[in-house]
Amino acid sequence: MFTPITAHIEMDRVLKRVRKDGKEVHLTGLEYGLLEYLCTHPNKLCSRDELIDQVWGERFLYDPGTIDVHLNALRRKMGFDKKKPIETVRGLGLIFRAERQVTHYTIDLSTFLTTWLSNHEAEIRDAGLTPQLRLTPFVNQITISPEALRRMLDSILAALLPTAQAGYLKLSSRLTMQSFILALEINGTISELIVPIQA
């Protein structure tokens, strides 16, 4: 699932894909890794040593021109110029200049939850559980950070699965005057995520 990183860039961190302005850009693994690391450290000077360690790995035999080769290819494929949004600070490293980071945005709840269940299909099946999705009618979208929602659901699933017995896993929702509540239930054990409604 693609999630916005900036106003123009979206990333699917599971499948290592990237889109710019809605169009997928095909990057090599190292180009993607370089972009992902810089995007997730916006407006921070990242040294060349740090990039080599984090993107290429500790055992990589350092060649001073390696980053530049991949950076030039990345800029060309993404349609970046030489100074924006990735700025080279001579002798120090690179900075991803993000004017505005996207942190919260509207997601299609049914699509998001269906994708989340699909991503965990094997472990849910191995636990002998049958997933069910029952959402409140007329609430199709919520405004929330999908990364935060995914982390919360992942942590609930990790906590509940070890003690689960064959049965069902149910994702359901309900709406009150103050909040939207998303519930994950495994054989009667329920954990709820409460999203306040903003006026």
Side-chain angles (χ1 to χ4, degrees):
M1 172 182 285
F2 284 98
T3 56
I5 303 298
T6 70
H8 300 282
I9 299 171
E10 300 170 282
M11 286 184 170
D12 179 339
R13 293 183 186 168
V14 175
L15 298 178
K16 307 294 184 189
R17 298 185 299 163
V18 64
R19 288 195 304 215
K20 183 186 178 197
D21 296 324
K23 294 182 180 177
E24 188 161 353
V25 179
H26 298 285
L27 303 177
T28 66
L30 288 173
E31 291 162 0
Y32 175 87
L34 182 59
L35 179 63
E36 180 183 42
Y37 190 79
L38 290 169
C39 283
T40 53
H41 297 81
N43 303 311
K44 171 188 178 289
L45 178 64
C46 298
S47 71
R48 289 175 177 270
D49 287 343
E50 177 182 353
L51 292 168
I52 289 292
D53 286 346
Q54 297 298 320
V55 179
W56 277 259
E58 295 176 354
R59 296 194 183 104
F60 179 77
L61 193 57
Y62 182 68
D63 174 354
T66 298
I67 291 178
D68 295 323
V69 169
H70 292 281
L71 177 60
N72 290 337
L74 173 62
R75 282 177 169 150
R76 179 177 47 77
K77 290 179 181 181
M78 293 294 293
F80 296 160
D81 66 32
K82 291 189 176 181
K83 294 187 178 178
K84 294 190 304 184
I86 301 173
E87 177 185 344
T88 301
V89 181
R90 189 177 294 276
L92 295 176
L94 304 173
I95 299 177
F96 183 83
R97 298 285 187 192
E99 294 178 5
R100 181 175 67 89
Q101 288 290 105
V102 176
T103 55
H104 290 78
Y105 43 90
T106 302
I107 61 172
D108 179 283
L109 194 58
S110 179
T111 301
F112 176 89
L113 293 173
T114 300
T115 302
W116 181 81
L117 284 169
S118 177
N119 289 341
H120 293 283
E121 181 180 6
E123 56 195 297
I124 291 170
R125 184 184 61 242
D126 291 346
L129 297 169
T130 302
Q132 301 173 359
L133 184 59
R134 295 181 181 164
L135 299 177
T136 303
F138 313 115
V139 180
N140 301 318
Q141 297 181 329
I142 60 171
T143 301
I144 193 172
S145 163
E147 290 298 326
L149 181 56
R150 184 177 292 112
R151 281 195 303 271
M152 287 187 283
L153 287 169
D154 286 350
S155 67
I156 291 172
L157 188 65
L160 295 181
L161 267 187
T163 58
Q165 297 181 5
Y168 64 88
L169 178 151
K170 183 166 72 173
L171 271 167
S172 60
S173 65
R174 68 181 189 278
L175 193 61
T176 70
M177 294 295 286
Q178 294 82 29
S179 58
F180 175 77
I181 300 157
L182 185 63
L184 191 154
E185 178 182 353
I186 294 181
N187 294 333
T189 303
I190 302 173
S191 288
E192 293 184 336
L193 301 176
I194 300 173
V195 181
I197 294 175
Q198 299 188 3

